[in-house]
Amino acid sequence: MSKTTPDFFKGQLTPDVVELFTSSSVEAGRKPGNPLPLSLFIKAVEQAPVAISITDKKAKILYINEAFTEVTGYRAEEILGENESKLSDKCTPREVYYDLWHTITRKQVWHGQLINRRKQGERYLADLTIAPMLNESGKISHYIGMHRDVTQAYRAEQQLNNQKHLIESVINASPVAMAVLDSDHRIILDNQMYKMLVSELGHNEPARFFLDALRQDMSDLWPEGVSLPRAFSNREVRVEGAGRRGTRWFACSGNWFSEEDARADHFFLKQSRQYLLLSINDITLQRRQQEKLQLQALRDMMAEEEHIRSIRETLLGAMHQIRQPQNQINAAIQLMAQRNDTNNKPLKDLLSQVRQMGEETLNTLQRCVPEIPETAVVPVNINQLLHEVMLLYSTKFLANGVVVDWLPNPVLPSVLGSANKLRMLFKQLLDNAVNAMNRGGSRERLIKISTTVGRDWIYVAIADTGPGIPPHQRNKVFEPFFTTQAMGGLQAGMGLVMVKEIVNQHSGLIAIDPNYKNGCCFNLSFPVCPKNISTVTGHE
Ligand code: FAD
């Protein structure tokens, strides 16, 4: 190979570099069978879109390409013979240079970022790679440096990081627990409040717990094949016995968003992934305050209903009493008619008159029986109703030395029904339990109230430690005016009739547990409210 300088290099290269490019070692280094002329390699370096410089062992610049001039602003005649440090902004830490030189003098490639200054004085961030070039004896003869201005990319990356940090700190400072879940329900991001929920609720992944609770009452939260499901907001979830703070209420909101898949496989074939931002707001304090206010209103309403009910029972009881002689008079009149007994016509007329008066009295009484006001049928939460009735009854429980063991299912789907009627139902069962324990003189006065969930049913069990109901009377107790008490008064015997009626109105079932031995246990079941019309708590 001749050592003449190619034309296009004339005037740009120092003799050192000419030597470098045309040396027999470079020529020898070409791979055997490589048909490309050397000039092509030189052109490739010259026109490469990355700033390339070749230095001696002390970083004295011997060669620069066109891109170097574009990036630094220095033309060849201004920089050749200068040290690379001319580019330094002098604010790169010394350790970086130490590491740079430590690496390249060990014949290794160094890659890193430095702050450089252009000829015009403007700073830029250089992404620099320096590779040592070895001579035939394997010693370093030169260094080749390649750098790009990555200021813009760095700025964009930093802005992205700043935004991420900003979002993270806003999310962390939020008083609402937040978690981002992927479509496999894995937590991708969460905040401090969410982490607190983990310890407070004792669930490893509260988000999944809440999603399950929401799913019980909402139609499919995350339907397959839907690009972005509809957002939901302020869905209440009532959690029983959560931690030391007892019952708690949470308002859950969910927003879906999608993100382009950043994996290399999807560079050309774009694919997006869906995420759910779940916000869980603890609204226990507000709910408790509301509950206090509601409780007084409830107390008044239930007292009024109780009053109506007692009038109803009195009148129905009186009608029941009148119907018995009325039936006997009817029977006597029919008997006389069959015998065609004309001698006793005055008696027959008298009986007919009495019957007529009796019917009128019954009609008058019937008209006086007050109706129990109908209330709206909406999704209701049985746990909440039981809880309210227990609160209303707390003084009665205390006065009667009754201990209540409340074992609710942590989360309960709603039941479609009338809150008022269901409250009356539970109140009646608790009334019966307290009265039975008082009557039976039970030493241990315990009422156990539990709720559980089946596939489509909610189960309630109310058990007491009273004398219980003998097996042969268990079906009769649901009949009108039947009482297990020796001295059944006028008002006795209608409570369970009303209970049964309310259960029927809610398409539910009620039975006395035949296996319960410590007293009496009523088992009730109600169908779960259809999902499309339900809410998780279902307050009226
Ligand atoms: P200097 O006095 O030049 O050096 C600082 C430290 O580096 C010294 O304390 C010493 O530990 C070490 N050092 C310097 N020269 C040598 C040597 N020959 N052998 C072993 N250790 C040595 N710097 C930039 O700022 N920007 C660039 O774009 C850049 N590109 C480079 C490209 C190449 C190919 C090479 C070889 C070096 C490049 N450098 C670059 C490094 C540059 O040469 C300087 O070392 C650096 O700029 C620091 O300059 P200085 O004047 O502050 O300190």
Side-chain angles (χ1 to χ4, degrees), residues 175-177 234 249-253 279-284 286:
V176 175
N234 290 326
W249 287 263
F250 297 90
C252 297
S253 303
S279 322
I280 307 162
N281 192 10
D282 188 344
I283 51 164
T284 307
Q286 296 95 300

Side-chain angles (χ1 to χ4, degrees), residues 191-211:
N191 68 351
Q192 285 303 323
M193 286 303 285
Y194 181 82
K195 289 187 177 78
M196 277 170 70
L197 274 188
V198 175
S199 55
E200 284 179 11
L201 296 181
H203 291 282
N204 280 346
E205 250 1 312
R208 289 206 197 127
F209 169 78
F210 281 102
L211 283 182

Side-chain angles (χ1 to χ4, degrees), residues 53-59 83-90 92 94 97-98 100-102 104-105 114-116 124 126 128 130 143-145 147:
S53 59
I54 296 173
T55 71
D56 67 6
K57 288 202 311 185
K58 292 190 172 167
N83 192 287
E84 292 272 8
S85 66
K86 187 157 184 170
L87 297 179
S88 168
D89 181 59
K90 308 291 177 204
T92 303
R94 306 302 298 170
Y97 296 126
Y98 177 81
L100 180 160
W101 283 106
H102 188 75
I104 61 175
T105 50
L114 304 171
I115 299 171
N116 274 357
Y124 69 95
L128 172 66
I130 304 177
Y143 292 111
I144 178 162
H147 81 266

